[in-house]
Coordinates of all heavy atoms in Angstrom, one line a residue:
V1 N 22.5 17.7 -7.5 CA 22.8 17.7 -6.0 C 24.1 18.4 -5.8 O 24.9 18.6 -6.6 CB 22.9 16.2 -5.5 CG1 21.6 15.5 -5.7 CG2 24.0 15.5 -6.2
G2 N 24.2 18.9 -4.5 CA 25.4 19.7 -4.2 C 25.0 21.1 -3.8 O 24.1 21.7 -4.4
D3 N 25.7 21.6 -2.7 CA 25.3 22.9 -2.2 C 26.0 24.1 -3.0 O 25.5 25.2 -3.1 CB 25.7 23.0 -0.7 CG 25.0 22.0 0.1 OD1 23.8 21.7 -0.2 OD2 25.6 21.5 1.1
T4 N 27.2 23.8 -3.5 CA 27.9 24.9 -4.2 C 28.1 24.5 -5.7 O 27.9 23.3 -6.1 CB 29.3 25.1 -3.6 OG1 30.1 23.9 -3.8 CG2 29.2 25.4 -2.1
E5 N 28.4 25.4 -6.5 CA 28.6 25.2 -7.9 C 29.7 24.2 -8.2 O 29.7 23.4 -9.1 CB 28.9 26.5 -8.7 CG 29.0 26.3 -10.2 CD 29.2 27.7 -10.9 OE1 29.0 28.7 -10.2 OE2 29.5 27.7 -12.1
E6 N 30.8 24.3 -7.4 CA 31.9 23.4 -7.5 C 31.6 21.9 -7.2 O 32.1 21.0 -7.8 CB 33.1 23.8 -6.7 CG 33.8 25.2 -7.1 CD 32.9 26.4 -6.8 OE1 32.0 26.2 -5.9 OE2 33.2 27.5 -7.3
S7 N 30.7 21.8 -6.2 CA 30.4 20.4 -5.7 C 29.1 19.8 -6.4 O 28.8 18.7 -6.1 CB 30.1 20.4 -4.2 OG 29.0 21.2 -3.9
Q8 N 28.5 20.6 -7.2 CA 27.3 20.1 -7.9 C 27.5 19.0 -8.8 O 28.5 19.0 -9.6 CB 26.5 21.3 -8.6 CG 25.7 22.2 -7.7 CD 24.9 23.2 -8.5 OE1 25.1 23.3 -9.7 NE2 24.0 23.8 -7.8
R9 N 26.6 18.0 -8.8 CA 26.7 16.8 -9.7 C 25.3 16.6 -10.3 O 24.3 16.9 -9.6 CB 27.2 15.6 -8.9 CG 28.6 15.6 -8.5 CD 29.0 14.4 -7.7 NE 28.2 14.4 -6.5 CZ 27.9 13.3 -5.8 NH1 28.3 12.1 -6.2 NH2 27.1 13.4 -4.7
V10 N 25.3 15.9 -11.4 CA 24.0 15.6 -12.1 C 23.8 14.1 -12.0 O 24.7 13.3 -12.5 CB 24.0 16.1 -13.6 CG1 22.7 15.7 -14.2 CG2 24.3 17.6 -13.7
L11 N 22.8 13.7 -11.4 CA 22.4 12.3 -11.2 C 21.3 11.9 -12.1 O 20.2 12.6 -12.1 CB 22.1 11.9 -9.8 CG 23.2 12.2 -8.7 CD1 22.7 11.7 -7.3 CD2 24.5 11.5 -9.1
R12 N 21.4 10.8 -12.8 CA 20.3 10.3 -13.6 C 19.7 9.1 -12.8 O 20.4 8.2 -12.4 CB 20.7 9.8 -15.0 CG 19.6 9.2 -15.8 CD 20.1 8.9 -17.2 NE 20.5 10.1 -17.9 CZ 21.4 10.1 -18.9 NH1 22.0 9.0 -19.3 NH2 21.7 11.2 -19.5
I13 N 18.4 9.2 -12.5 CA 17.8 8.3 -11.5 C 16.6 7.6 -12.2 O 15.8 8.2 -12.9 CB 17.3 9.0 -10.3 CG1 18.4 9.8 -9.6 CG2 16.6 8.0 -9.3 CD1 18.0 10.6 -8.4
K14 N 16.5 6.2 -12.0 CA 15.4 5.5 -12.4 C 14.9 4.7 -11.1 O 15.7 4.3 -10.3 CB 15.7 4.4 -13.5 CG 15.9 5.0 -14.8 CD 16.0 3.9 -15.9 CE 16.1 4.5 -17.3 NZ 16.3 3.4 -18.3
A15 N 13.6 4.7 -11.0 CA 13.0 4.0 -9.8 C 12.0 3.0 -10.2 O 11.3 3.1 -11.2 CB 12.3 5.1 -8.9
A16 N 11.8 2.0 -9.3 CA 10.8 0.9 -9.5 C 10.3 0.5 -8.2 O 11.0 0.4 -7.2 CB 11.4 -0.2 -10.3
T17 N 9.0 0.2 -8.1 CA 8.4 -0.3 -6.9 C 8.6 -1.8 -6.7 O 8.5 -2.6 -7.7 CB 6.9 0.0 -6.9 OG1 6.7 1.4 -7.0 CG2 6.2 -0.5 -5.6
L18 N 8.9 -2.2 -5.5 CA 9.1 -3.6 -5.1 C 7.8 -4.1 -4.5 O 7.2 -3.4 -3.7 CB 10.2 -3.8 -4.1 CG 11.6 -3.3 -4.6 CD1 12.6 -3.5 -3.4 CD2 12.1 -4.2 -5.7
S19 N 7.3 -5.2 -5.0 CA 6.0 -5.8 -4.5 C 6.3 -7.2 -4.0 O 7.2 -7.9 -4.4 CB 5.0 -5.8 -5.6 OG 4.8 -4.5 -6.1
D20 N 5.4 -7.6 -3.1 CA 5.5 -9.0 -2.6 C 4.7 -9.9 -3.6 O 4.3 -9.5 -4.7 CB 4.9 -9.1 -1.2 CG 3.5 -8.7 -1.1 OD1 2.8 -8.6 -2.1 OD2 3.0 -8.5 0.0
T21 N 4.6 -11.1 -3.2 CA 3.9 -12.1 -4.1 C 2.5 -11.8 -4.3 O 1.9 -12.3 -5.3 CB 4.1 -13.5 -3.6 OG1 3.6 -13.6 -2.2 CG2 5.6 -14.0 -3.6
Y22 N 1.9 -11.0 -3.4 CA 0.5 -10.6 -3.6 C 0.4 -9.2 -4.3 O -0.7 -8.6 -4.3 CB -0.2 -10.5 -2.2 CG -0.2 -11.9 -1.5 CD1 0.8 -12.1 -0.5 CD2 -1.1 -12.9 -1.9 CE1 0.8 -13.3 0.1 CE2 -1.0 -14.1 -1.2 CZ -0.1 -14.3 -0.2 OH 0.0 -15.6 0.4
Q23 N 1.5 -8.8 -4.9 CA 1.5 -7.5 -5.6 C 1.3 -6.3 -4.7 O 0.7 -5.3 -5.2 CB 0.5 -7.5 -6.8 CG 0.8 -8.6 -7.8 CD 2.2 -8.5 -8.4 OE1 2.6 -7.4 -8.8 NE2 2.9 -9.6 -8.4
R24 N 1.6 -6.5 -3.4 CA 1.5 -5.3 -2.5 C 2.8 -4.6 -2.4 O 3.9 -5.3 -2.2 CB 1.0 -5.8 -1.1 CG -0.4 -6.3 -1.1 CD -0.8 -6.8 0.2 NE -0.1 -8.0 0.5 CZ -0.6 -9.1 1.2 NH1 -1.8 -9.1 1.6 NH2 0.2 -10.1 1.4
P25 N 2.9 -3.3 -2.5 CA 4.2 -2.5 -2.5 C 4.8 -2.7 -1.1 O 4.2 -2.5 -0.1 CB 3.8 -1.1 -2.8 CG 2.3 -1.0 -2.4 CD 1.7 -2.4 -2.7
I26 N 6.1 -3.0 -1.1 CA 6.9 -3.1 0.1 C 8.1 -2.3 0.1 O 8.9 -2.3 1.1 CB 7.2 -4.6 0.4 CG1 8.1 -5.1 -0.8 CG2 6.0 -5.4 0.6 CD1 8.6 -6.5 -0.6
G27 N 8.3 -1.5 -0.9 CA 9.5 -0.6 -1.0 C 9.8 -0.2 -2.4 O 9.0 -0.4 -3.3
R28 N 11.0 0.4 -2.6 CA 11.4 0.8 -3.9 C 12.9 0.6 -4.1 O 13.6 0.5 -3.2 CB 11.1 2.3 -4.1 CG 9.7 2.7 -4.0 CD 9.4 4.1 -4.6 NE 9.1 4.1 -6.0 CZ 9.0 5.1 -6.8 NH1 9.4 6.3 -6.3 NH2 8.7 5.0 -8.1
V29 N 13.2 0.4 -5.4 CA 14.7 0.3 -5.8 C 15.0 1.4 -6.7 O 14.2 1.8 -7.6 CB 15.0 -1.1 -6.4 CG1 14.2 -1.3 -7.7 CG2 16.5 -1.2 -6.7
Y30 N 16.2 2.0 -6.5 CA 16.6 3.2 -7.2 C 17.9 2.9 -7.9 O 18.8 2.3 -7.3 CB 16.8 4.4 -6.3 CG 15.5 4.9 -5.7 CD1 15.1 4.4 -4.5 CD2 14.8 5.9 -6.3 CE1 13.9 4.8 -3.9 CE2 13.6 6.4 -5.7 CZ 13.2 5.8 -4.5 OH 12.0 6.3 -3.9
V31 N 18.0 3.2 -9.2 CA 19.3 3.1 -9.9 C 19.8 4.5 -10.2 O 19.2 5.3 -10.7 CB 19.1 2.4 -11.3 CG1 20.4 2.2 -12.1 CG2 18.4 1.0 -11.1
L32 N 21.1 4.7 -9.7 CA 21.7 6.0 -9.7 C 22.9 6.0 -10.7 O 23.7 5.1 -10.7 CB 22.2 6.4 -8.4 CG 21.2 6.3 -7.2 CD1 21.9 6.7 -5.9 CD2 19.9 7.1 -7.4
Q33 N 23.0 7.0 -11.5 CA 24.1 7.1 -12.5 C 24.6 8.6 -12.4 O 23.8 9.5 -12.7 CB 23.7 6.7 -13.9 CG 24.9 6.8 -14.9 CD 24.4 6.4 -16.3 OE1 23.3 6.5 -16.6 NE2 25.4 6.2 -17.2

């Protein structure tokens, strides 16, 4: 991410789907490093 070479950063991302008690997707959670 970042528009210029000086501002560019590297993010490691993991994602998981959030489900309700009926296993229906209601969103996602992202872990950023």
Side-chain angles (χ1 to χ4, degrees):
V1 297
D3 299 327
T4 64
E5 184 176 349
E6 292 77 12
S7 65
Q8 280 187 348
R9 290 172 301 155
V10 181
L11 301 182
R12 183 174 293 156
I13 304 175
K14 285 187 178 181
T17 299
L18 298 174
S19 303
D20 61 16
T21 55
Y22 299 101
Q23 300 302 311
R24 289 176 295 216
I26 57 174
R28 300 195 89 190
V29 61
Y30 296 85
V31 180
L32 312 178
Q33 183 183 16

